[in-house]
Amino acid sequence: MRTSILLLSAVLVLAAGAFAQSIDEVKPACAAPGDAVLLKGSGFGASPTVLFGTAEAEILRSSDSRIICRVPEGLAEGPTTIGVGNLDAGFHVLAEGAPAIVHVSTGTATPGMLVFFVGARLKGATARFMDGDKEVSTVELKGGRRAAYLKVPADLAPGTYTIVIANEAGESGPCSPTLVVVEEGEPTLVSIEPAQQLPGRPVLCKGTDLGPVGFCFLTWTDGEGNGLFTYGFTNGYDRVHTWVPWEAEAGATYKVTIDFADGSSTEGTGALEYTVGTPEPPEITELEYDEGPAGSLVTIYGTNLVGSGFAWPTVEFTRGGVSTEAVVYYAFGSYPGGGEGGGHDKGVPNALQGGFGWDGVDQILVEVPPDLADGEYDVTVTVSGQTSDPVTFTVGDLPLTVTSMSPDSQGPWGPEGVVVIEGTGFGVPDYDFIISEGRDAGLAGGDPNGIPFESYFKVKVTWQGAGGDPLEGYVLWHHDREILVIPPGGWEDPLPVGEYTVSVTVEHDDGGTETAGAGTYTVNEKGDGPGHGFPGDPGGVIRNE
Amino acid sequence: MRRFLAIGAASALALLAGCGGGGGSGGGGEPPLQALDQQSLVVQMDQNGDNELDLVTLDISESPFVILECLYGLPGGDFDDVTDAVKGRAIDPAVSGALATYVGGSMGVADRTELDVTNSNGDPMRVVVFE
């Protein structure tokens, strides 16, 4: 019995997060019943229990290092403790309905400057500027329930003030923010952190009198007087969040100045020099193919092939000292995540990891420049001023071959899907992709009322049955190594049951043609098994009845 | 004769830069790991395209997110409360999708987080999220 009680106690303690190692932060440290509170720490365990005093809180979400929970209803206003397992942290329960603060735009301001707050129940609240116990000034907050702002009274003397946010229900309590009021001066840029940040990565500019709240514009001037530009977010006084221009040259030093929306600038107090960090150079580990005709598509695999921010890699094919830039269809990959430097928090987004199949290897899909003469070329990738070692790609026509055709059968009601024929020597269509700007992008060639690209294709795929003329399939797309084609008749007038010989015919630039067999394609009787119905009807049973 | 099929550079860049742009899914799934209010989110972005930073409170229980409150930034460091005019309007679905992805996966690391997103026009923009 005693053993059972001890075991039960142990289980309960474990469930309560007995191994909690630390509570590092409670955010906000003052909140009202019903508010969500974020605990940061470590060792919270899989199913922590959080107590506000003796009242158990509803856990909204948790991990080993984070808990989001709700302040229990009915708690009295005043100080209490938050307990997780064997650890406690201080907390202050606000009166129900009292304003709560989670963010203040700045801790230092000048008279007349705008300061904004993010929190809860801010609408209609007042801000009392307290010098110790003495109320020096009171202003009304403007704005809404979650975000509101005030202007520091113009006649407020320099000093340190506690701003108590209050409404009819109560006030912000011991979490009331502190604001240091200083006299206005010239915009001055003091530091940019962290040092030697990489192109495209976030940096935090610190200084004083850094313009009014909002956007500002930074000029990064190199040693030759050429300027690069970024925009920044200024908190109105001492912080500007921005990033190193992604075009910035690795290792280069720039003079940085900031211009603000009110016309002020740090130029008057002098530019600050900043040396850009040097990223790891791009490295090509593999080409999808190392040969193919001009105009064909090839994927480049490697590391550091994409830069941070909006850096766009450049791919060049070089022979005999002459370089030709290739069109990049797409590029994706990753760079080391942030977390510091301006509060940036960005790494590999879920979309890339999942939706686009990023597997740790960067990829760039390029078109071999269509005007290249046959021969061997060095392929290089340049990003953020760094160029990879070259790999060799041989430009030249490949022999017509067919290595596979899939699927190679269908049911009597039509093809299961698009037939994919793989091989080489299918030729390059007479169209190309270009990179266009944003909303102006679109189809720049072709008859919008016609079959897309039909006149640009170089291949025909035919199905030859036991009798009659060969029937031509409907080519959806092709490139030098792949053809996507719908068998003749599609689903509207499907091929009769039987066996067909499929052939690929390529039209060469000189007008001549060449044909290769792709194999046998079978149109089965009804009930021949799965995969022979309509698309989306994998059994094909219903329509085969 | 060559023909040209154009693709949006910004769309491709969205893939490149790890932007959150794209899908317009809502804030379903796990509750966001943020303080005070689980149903709304305060962001700072140029909502109305006037090159000024706006403070926008979003209802994240809707998909796409809709505006609950909005303070338009004015030149020179002031705000104009336009909540009555814009309340209930959905924000750009691509931006909403990016924010939903972020909020759903956020671990409350920072009070202030900047996100690169791509809007539905393919234009890159930066959004500050206050957690």
Side-chain angles (χ1 to χ4, degrees), chain B residues 11-93:
Chain B
S11 302
L13 285 169
L15 299 178
L16 163 75
C19 300
S25 62
E30 289 197 275
L33 201 59
Q34 62 180 29
L36 286 182
D37 187 343
Q38 297 285 290
Q39 298 299 312
S40 64
L41 183 71
V42 179
V43 299
Q44 196 178 22
M45 63 181 184
D46 184 6
Q47 162 65 19
N48 59 345
D50 65 349
N51 291 323
E52 296 293 341
L53 272 176
D54 310 318
L55 263 177
V56 187
T57 303
L58 301 171
D59 180 350
I60 60 174
S61 66
E62 300 284 339
S63 179
F65 296 166
V66 300
I67 296 173
L68 284 175
E69 298 168 350
C70 185
L71 304 173
Y72 279 166
L74 299 175
D78 207 342
F79 286 117
D80 182 17
D81 189 346
V82 295
T83 298
D84 290 342
V86 302
K87 185 175 183 178
R89 282 189 198 170
I91 64 167
D92 184 295

Side-chain angles (χ1 to χ4, degrees), chain A residues 146-518:
Chain A
R146 296 288 326 271
Y149 64 99
L150 59 77
K151 284 199 170 180
V152 178
D155 57 354
L156 203 62
T160 300
Y161 299 91
T162 299
I163 305 179
V164 177
I165 309 296
N167 62 16
E168 291 179 352
E171 57 184 43
S172 49
C175 297
S176 299
T178 297
L179 187 70
V180 177
V181 176
V182 297
E183 289 183 353
E184 190 172 346
E186 289 294 310
T188 305
L189 181 56
V190 175
S191 67
I192 301 176
E193 301 171 0
Q196 299 201 331
Q197 184 64 286
L198 303 180
R201 298 290 302 279
V203 287
L204 175 61
C205 303
K206 292 183 177 179
T208 58
D209 296 281
L210 298 179
V213 168
F215 282 129
C216 55
F217 299 91
L218 291 92
T219 304
W220 305 66
T221 306
D222 66 16
E224 297 177 353
N226 302 309
L228 300 174
F229 305 94
T230 61
Y231 66 85
F233 299 83
T234 173
N235 71 345
Y237 187 74
D238 56 4
R239 287 166 179 256
V240 171
H241 295 274
T242 187
W243 63 94
V244 178
W246 62 262
E247 315 98 312
E249 190 176 336
T253 297
Y254 294 83
K255 289 182 176 179
V256 182
T257 57
I258 312 177
D259 294 299
F260 301 97
D262 63 354
S264 63
S265 172
T266 61
E267 195 168 10
T269 52
L272 190 70
E273 287 197 341
Y274 187 81
T275 300
V276 176
T278 301
E280 291 293 316
E283 181 183 359
I284 300 173
T285 54
E286 187 182 5
L287 294 179
E288 181 185 18
Y289 315 111
D290 59 7
E291 60 179 354
S296 61
L297 301 177
V298 62
T299 300
I300 300 169
Y301 301 100
T303 56
N304 305 309
L305 298 184
V306 300
S308 48
F310 285 91
W312 187 246
T314 301
V315 177
E316 290 186 315
F317 286 67
T318 303
R319 187 174 72 147
V322 178
S323 296
T324 305
E325 186 174 337
V327 170
V328 174
Y329 280 23
Y330 68 74
F332 64 83
S334 181
Y335 54 91
E340 303 84 31
H344 215 83
D345 178 29
K346 189 173 69 171
V348 183
N350 293 334
L352 288 186
Q353 290 177 322
F356 297 95
W358 188 79
D359 58 359
V361 178
D362 295 351
Q363 299 181 22
I364 308 174
L365 176 65
V366 298
E367 179 195 56
V368 178
D371 298 326
L372 291 186
D374 289 355
E376 285 193 351
Y377 290 81
D378 285 339
V379 180
T380 55
V381 174
T382 300
V383 63
S384 299
Q386 301 229 92
T387 301
S388 70
D389 288 336
V391 294
T392 301
F393 185 90
T394 303
V395 175
D397 289 339
L398 299 175
L400 176 60
T401 61
V402 176
T403 55
S404 68
M405 174 176 65
S406 178
D408 61 0
S409 66
Q410 68 179 57
W413 302 93
E416 179 187 355
V418 173
V419 173
V420 179
I421 298 173
E422 294 182 327
T424 59
F426 300 148
V428 177
D430 275 337
Y431 66 79
D432 193 6
F433 291 92
I434 59 168
I435 300 296
S436 168
E437 288 302 322
R439 66 192 71 184
D440 297 328
L443 188 62
D447 177 2
N449 298 315
I451 299 173
F453 320 125
E454 184 186 37
S455 60
Y456 314 139
F457 289 153
K458 295 288 185 63
V459 299
K460 290 183 178 178
V461 184
T462 56
W463 271 250
Q464 173 69 62
D469 295 328
L471 300 170
E472 189 175 333
Y474 174 47
V475 175
L476 296 173
W477 182 87
H478 83 88
H479 228 275
D480 196 54
R481 292 174 183 264
E482 189 175 60
I483 303 169
L484 306 182
V485 59
I486 295 176
W491 296 275
E492 292 184 357
D493 183 20
L495 289 168
V497 171
E499 290 205 336
Y500 296 82
T501 299
V502 180
S503 300
V504 174
T505 299
V506 177
E507 177 190 349
H508 294 300
D509 290 340
D510 61 6
T513 61
E514 187 178 6
T515 299

Side-chain angles (χ1 to χ4, degrees), chain A residues 36 66 145 311 346 432, chain B residues 3 5 16 36 69 107 116:
Chain A
R66 302 280 191 276
R145 182 174 60 88
K346 189 173 69 171
D432 193 6
Chain B
R3 290 290 186 265
L5 179 68
L16 163 75
L36 286 182
E69 298 168 350
M107 291 304 290
D116 287 333

